[in-house]
Coordinates of all heavy atoms in Angstrom, one line a residue:
E173 N -0.8 37.0 -19.5 CA -0.3 36.0 -20.4 C 0.7 35.0 -19.8 O 1.2 35.3 -18.7 CB 0.4 36.7 -21.6 CG -0.5 37.4 -22.5 CD 0.3 38.2 -23.6 OE1 1.4 37.8 -23.9 OE2 -0.3 39.1 -24.1
S174 N 1.0 34.0 -20.5 CA 2.0 33.0 -19.9 C 3.3 33.6 -19.7 O 3.8 34.4 -20.5 CB 2.0 31.9 -21.0 OG 3.0 30.9 -20.5
G175 N 3.9 33.3 -18.6 CA 5.3 33.7 -18.3 C 5.4 35.2 -17.9 O 6.5 35.7 -17.8
T176 N 4.3 35.8 -17.5 CA 4.4 37.2 -17.1 C 4.6 37.4 -15.6 O 4.8 38.6 -15.2 CB 3.1 38.0 -17.5 OG1 2.0 37.2 -17.1 CG2 3.0 38.3 -19.0
G177 N 4.6 36.3 -14.9 CA 4.9 36.5 -13.5 C 3.6 36.4 -12.6 O 3.6 36.9 -11.5
K178 N 2.7 35.6 -13.0 CA 1.4 35.4 -12.1 C 1.8 34.7 -10.8 O 1.4 35.1 -9.7 CB 0.4 34.6 -12.9 CG -0.2 35.4 -14.1 CD -1.3 34.7 -14.8 CE -1.0 33.4 -15.4 NZ 0.0 33.5 -16.6
E179 N 2.6 33.6 -10.9 CA 2.9 32.9 -9.7 C 3.8 33.7 -8.8 O 3.7 33.8 -7.6 CB 3.6 31.6 -10.1 CG 3.9 30.8 -8.8 CD 4.2 29.3 -9.1 OE1 3.8 28.8 -10.2 OE2 4.8 28.6 -8.2
L180 N 4.7 34.5 -9.4 CA 5.6 35.3 -8.7 C 4.8 36.4 -7.9 O 5.1 36.7 -6.8 CB 6.6 36.0 -9.6 CG 7.9 36.5 -9.0 CD1 8.7 35.4 -8.3 CD2 8.8 37.2 -10.1
N200 N -1.4 23.4 -9.4 CA -1.8 23.6 -10.7 C -3.0 22.7 -11.0 O -2.9 21.5 -11.2 CB -0.7 23.2 -11.7 CG -1.0 23.6 -13.1 OD1 -2.2 23.7 -13.5 ND2 0.0 23.8 -13.9
F241 N -2.4 28.8 -3.8 CA -2.4 29.5 -5.1 C -2.9 28.5 -6.1 O -2.3 27.5 -6.4 CB -1.0 29.9 -5.4 CG -0.8 30.4 -6.8 CD1 -1.6 31.5 -7.3 CD2 0.1 29.9 -7.7 CE1 -1.5 32.0 -8.6 CE2 0.2 30.3 -9.0 CZ -0.6 31.4 -9.5
D243 N -3.5 27.6 -9.5 CA -3.1 28.0 -10.8 C -4.0 27.4 -11.9 O -4.5 26.3 -11.6 CB -1.6 27.6 -11.0 CG -1.0 28.5 -12.1 OD1 -1.6 29.3 -12.7 OD2 0.3 28.3 -12.3
E244 N -4.2 28.0 -13.0 CA -5.1 27.5 -14.1 C -6.4 27.2 -13.5 O -7.0 26.1 -13.8 CB -4.5 26.3 -14.7 CG -3.0 26.4 -15.2 CD -2.9 27.5 -16.3 OE1 -3.9 28.2 -16.6 OE2 -1.8 27.8 -16.7
A283 N -5.2 32.0 -10.4 CA -4.6 32.6 -11.6 C -5.2 31.8 -12.8 O -5.5 30.7 -12.7 CB -3.1 32.5 -11.6
H285 N -4.7 32.0 -17.4 CA -4.3 32.8 -18.6 C -5.4 32.7 -19.6 O -5.3 33.2 -20.7 CB -3.0 32.3 -19.2 CG -3.0 30.9 -19.7 ND1 -2.7 29.8 -19.0 CD2 -3.4 30.5 -21.0 CE1 -2.9 28.7 -19.8 NE2 -3.3 29.1 -21.0
R362 N 9.6 34.4 -18.8 CA 10.1 33.1 -18.8 C 11.0 32.9 -20.1 O 12.1 32.3 -20.0 CB 9.0 32.0 -18.8 CG 9.6 30.6 -18.7 CD 8.6 29.5 -18.6 NE 7.9 29.5 -17.3 CZ 6.6 29.9 -17.2 NH1 5.9 30.2 -18.3 NH2 6.1 29.8 -16.0
Ligands
MG502 MG1 2.2 30.0 -13.6

Side-chain angles (χ1 to χ4, degrees):
E173 287 177 23
S174 179
T176 46
K178 295 187 291 295
E179 182 162 344
L180 201 59
N200 186 339
F241 172 57
D243 205 357
E244 306 301 359
H285 68 267
R362 181 178 293 110

